[in-house]
Amino acid sequence: MKIAIVGCGNMGMAFAKSFLQYDLVKKEDLLLIEKSADRSESLKAEKAGVVVDTIGPHVGETDLIILSVKPQDFNSVHEALRDIIQPNQVILSIMAGIPIAQIQEKLGHPLVVRAMPNTPAMLGMGITGFTAAKEVDLNNLRRIENLINATGRSIFLEDEAMIDAVTALSGSGPAYFYYVVKSMIEAGKQMGFDDAVAALLVKQTMLGAYHLINNADKSLDDLIKAVASKGGTTEAALRAFESGGLSDTLVTGIKAAQIRATELSKG
């Protein structure tokens, strides 16, 4: 399979490196299009693929084109792509906020898959929600799913509108997690720990809790109860969270992200 990646920032390269790691594409069949001269030189030094700085006829010789430019940069690349796209090529967009219909219209091409990964994809531990235009057949869809799964896990969504919910929940989700971790570390510092010790206590706690969620045959409520003894320290903290409306605030914030994602999708 030959793949072209247009825009080689963190997410584009997360996909590229995962493809290479799992032998899904050969380096000579991986075309990296990066307009930044400094970034291009860095990619050439890494020898992660064939690096070029412009969209040319060579892009039309690939099986799959991955669009990983910033959404605001799509207008600067779609005309060049429109001129070289071949009928059998599939477009995989990981641009936030741009719906399939708009990509199809701008490119004059029906075979479009839209995906929303998250930053843990850089470690092969991401989760990606994806959907596809009705013109994309099952064979191509399975090939795309296999590629996406190299960066972690994936979930296919029949309804494209749910991509906005994916954006809010898992696309933006790492930032929410970091926010909670940061607050816990700050609490540790206020209780007398230095930065390093507070960070170690919190990060290892989060890591262990994650593995318990995945491996313990218990619900989240049961896991909470296992820590929160009646009248104990954990219960005191949870009561403070509830009185401050922490749960409602988190839910409201995530829904606000979904609303904003929908606004961006509508332009």
Side-chain angles (χ1 to χ4, degrees):
M1 191 174 190
K2 295 182 178 181
I3 299 174
I5 300 180
V6 183
C8 298
N10 289 334
M11 199 57 67
M13 289 310 297
F15 274 66
K17 291 175 180 178
S18 293
F19 299 161
L20 293 172
Q21 179 182 351
Y22 290 102
D23 296 321
L24 298 175
V25 63
K26 298 176 182 178
K27 285 187 178 182
E28 58 268 29
D29 292 329
L30 182 60
L31 186 62
L32 306 175
I33 299 99
E34 176 54 57
K35 67 178 181 179
S36 166
D38 289 343
R39 181 68 174 156
S40 290
E41 289 303 313
S42 175
L43 293 174
K44 288 176 182 177
E46 292 179 26
K47 298 180 179 180
V50 180
V51 182
V52 297
D53 59 5
T54 57
I55 296 169
H58 40 284
V59 178
E61 298 170 2
T62 60
D63 302 296
L64 174 69
I65 300 173
I66 299 178
L67 299 178
S68 60
V69 296
K70 294 177 181 178
Q72 59 268 33
D73 292 336
F74 181 49
N75 285 333
S76 67
V77 302
H78 80 262
E79 290 184 1
L81 283 170
R82 187 184 181 106
D83 292 337
I84 56 90
I85 289 177
Q86 301 302 306
N88 63 330
Q89 286 183 298
V90 179
I91 306 298
L92 170 60
S93 169
I94 57 174
M95 300 181 296
I98 302 183
I100 287 174
Q102 185 178 336
I103 297 170
Q104 290 176 313
E105 179 186 358
K106 294 283 189 181
L107 297 180
H109 188 72
L111 304 182
V112 177
V113 177
R114 180 183 172 196
M116 173 49 60
N118 62 7
T119 53
M122 292 187 286
L123 298 176
M125 298 181 70
I127 179 69
T128 299
F130 71 108
T131 190
K134 64 181 185 299
E135 293 87 351
V136 180
D137 63 30
L138 185 58
N139 183 52
N140 274 319
L141 203 54
R142 283 177 173 167
R143 293 172 76 190
I144 297 294
E145 182 179 29
N146 189 46
L147 290 169
I148 290 174
N149 284 343
T151 67
R153 301 182 67 178
S154 65
I155 178 170
F156 179 76
L157 303 164
E158 294 282 353
D159 183 1
E160 185 183 0
M162 292 305 294
I163 291 291
D164 295 333
V166 170
T167 301
L169 193 60
S170 59
S172 300
Y176 314 149
F177 179 80
Y178 306 146
Y179 187 88
V180 171
V181 169
K182 181 181 177 183
S183 297
M184 290 178 67
I185 291 173
E186 178 58 32
K189 289 161 60 178
Q190 290 185 19
M191 291 186 292
F193 296 112
D194 62 31
D195 289 9
V197 173
L200 175 60
L201 286 167
V202 174
K203 288 190 286 186
Q204 188 61 33
T205 296
M206 289 297 194
L207 180 62
Y210 158 76
H211 283 293
L212 275 176
I213 289 173
N214 268 3
N215 294 292
D217 189 21
K218 294 182 179 180
S219 68
L220 288 172
D221 284 336
D222 287 338
L223 288 171
I224 291 170
K225 289 176 183 177
V227 182
S229 303
K230 191 160 184 68
T233 58
T234 306
E235 187 178 68
L238 294 175
R239 283 180 177 172
F241 295 158
E242 289 175 6
S243 66
L246 178 58
S247 179
D248 289 342
T249 299
L250 287 171
V251 172
T252 298
I254 293 168
K255 287 182 176 178
Q258 180 189 20
I259 291 169
R260 182 56 180 154
T262 301
E263 290 172 350
L264 292 171
S265 293
K266 293 178 179 178

